[in-house]
Amino acid sequence: NYLFPLTYVELGEQFDLGHILNWGSLPETFVLDDNDKRDYLRTYVNTYLKEEIQLEQIVRNIAPFRSFLEIAAQCSGQIINYSKIAQDINSDPVSVKSYFGILEDTLIGNLLPSFHYSIRKRQRKNPKFYLFDIGVKRALERILTIEAHPRTHEFGILFEHFIINELFRLNSYYKRDWKFSYLRTKDDVEIDVIIERPGLPLALIEIKSSDKIDESMTASFKKIAHDFPDKDAFLLSLDNDAKVINGIRCLHWKDGFKELGIPGMI
């Protein structure tokens, strides 16, 4: 099995969401002070470029790939626009698509495809991409000196990133054979994660970083979830009060993971 950055399950009582959203969960970041964490994460990125990419000669021309990495970090969690990224790095969409394949092959990130019951149609829409560790993402973005604060847009983006990375990791560790995707409608209504679970209904998941969930936060989710007759709908957040709103189970994310079928230890 591939060893991922530490999960919340492995960290147990040492788990600190603030640490994860600022520094990621590579083991070394838990024993270093802040300055050394920054140096370590920057070195990690450079080592990846030098040892994994240059020495293995995976990419012939390293310059556009180096530029691509920074943009991939900035776009992590968004739907990939191959043409726009190609334009930004003076390359072409085919090369950019191959670069994302390299990141996935070298276990630096995961592609999240667009959902459709037809696999053929699913492959027509561009996927999202998630870097494997938030600390590495922030190092590539050059924002390690800027703290992510609760109730900010940046915090919400990082919290979603954290939840999706945990799902990828724990699915692998527990050998659940789950398939993950996202859905965005033509009206730009989105389901953050759809999980196809063998023998169980689809799990539709909305992710909110709020510590107080109310009905207004479920309105668009309710509309789109209605189109799935056989499903379990979850809103995972930082709100400790479990509730059901519009048929959606609103749970603290840890409780939501348990309901999805992820036990408390590996």
Side-chain angles (χ1 to χ4, degrees), residues 3-262:
L3 288 177
F4 298 95
L6 295 170
T7 67
Y8 85 97
V9 177
E10 293 167 300
L11 286 166
E13 292 182 359
Q14 283 186 288
F15 175 79
D16 178 345
L17 183 63
H19 178 284
I20 303 296
L21 299 192
N22 282 286
W23 304 110
S25 59
L26 289 169
E28 287 82 353
T29 62
F30 291 93
V31 296
L32 299 171
D33 64 28
D34 287 0
N35 285 330
D36 288 341
K37 286 173 189 172
R38 292 186 191 101
D39 289 342
Y40 168 74
L41 288 166
R42 290 167 184 147
T43 301
Y44 190 99
V45 169
N46 290 329
T47 300
Y48 168 74
L49 278 169
K50 184 176 180 181
E51 296 184 3
E52 289 283 337
I53 304 303
Q54 284 180 286
L55 294 183
E56 295 294 329
Q57 296 184 327
I58 296 173
V59 176
R60 289 184 181 179
N61 187 352
I62 198 68
F65 186 78
R66 185 184 294 274
S67 300
F68 159 77
L69 269 181
E70 189 169 334
I71 292 172
Q74 294 167 0
C75 299
S76 189
Q78 301 174 24
I79 298 172
I80 300 172
N81 185 330
Y82 296 109
S83 298
K84 175 67 168 58
I85 296 172
Q87 198 172 37
D88 289 343
I89 65 170
N90 195 27
S91 184
D92 61 88
V94 173
S95 295
V96 170
K97 194 168 188 177
S98 74
Y99 289 167
F100 277 107
I102 288 167
L103 295 188
E104 192 171 40
D105 290 344
T106 56
L107 307 174
I108 293 297
N110 293 285
L111 292 170
L112 184 71
S114 174
F115 176 82
H116 197 285
Y117 283 108
S118 161
I119 291 177
R120 180 176 56 83
K121 290 182 179 178
R122 188 181 310 192
Q123 292 173 339
R124 289 180 180 173
K125 296 186 179 180
N126 288 2
K128 289 186 176 185
F129 175 78
Y130 289 86
L131 277 168
F132 82 121
D133 180 75
I134 289 172
V136 171
K137 166 181 160 62
R138 283 167 56 79
L140 284 165
E141 292 179 282
R142 306 172 195 269
I143 57 171
L144 287 172
T145 56
I146 304 171
E147 187 175 351
H149 294 285
R151 301 181 183 86
T152 63
H153 179 66
E154 174 71 6
F155 187 91
I157 290 172
L158 294 174
F159 181 68
E160 176 187 321
H161 211 292
F162 158 70
I163 293 292
I164 291 174
N165 273 345
E166 290 290 285
L167 287 170
F168 278 127
R169 296 167 188 172
L170 294 169
N171 174 56
S172 176
Y173 283 148
Y174 288 120
K175 298 179 173 61
R176 286 289 184 265
D177 291 329
W178 291 348
K179 285 187 179 178
F180 301 104
S181 55
Y182 77 94
L183 179 67
R184 180 176 291 178
T185 70
K186 60 185 179 182
D187 303 318
D188 281 337
V189 179
E190 188 169 307
I191 298 177
D192 292 323
V193 191
I194 297 177
I195 308 178
E196 296 167 73
R197 304 174 293 173
L200 293 170
L202 286 177
L204 313 182
I205 299 176
E206 178 78 0
I207 302 165
K208 300 282 187 188
S209 62
S210 174
D211 58 6
K212 192 67 178 176
I213 297 299
D214 59 40
E215 189 168 356
S216 68
M217 297 179 184
T218 67
S220 59
F221 190 22
K222 173 192 174 185
K223 286 182 187 177
I224 195 167
H226 181 72
D227 294 334
F228 291 83
D230 187 25
K231 87 287 184 177
D232 294 328
F234 298 93
L235 191 155
L236 305 186
S237 72
L238 295 170
D239 190 341
N240 286 308
D241 295 328
K243 60 200 87 172
V244 178
I245 304 175
N246 294 323
I248 298 161
R249 299 183 65 187
C250 304
L251 301 168
H252 186 275
W253 66 268
K254 285 185 181 179
D255 297 325
F257 274 36
K258 290 176 185 174
E259 290 299 315
L260 284 167
I262 297 172

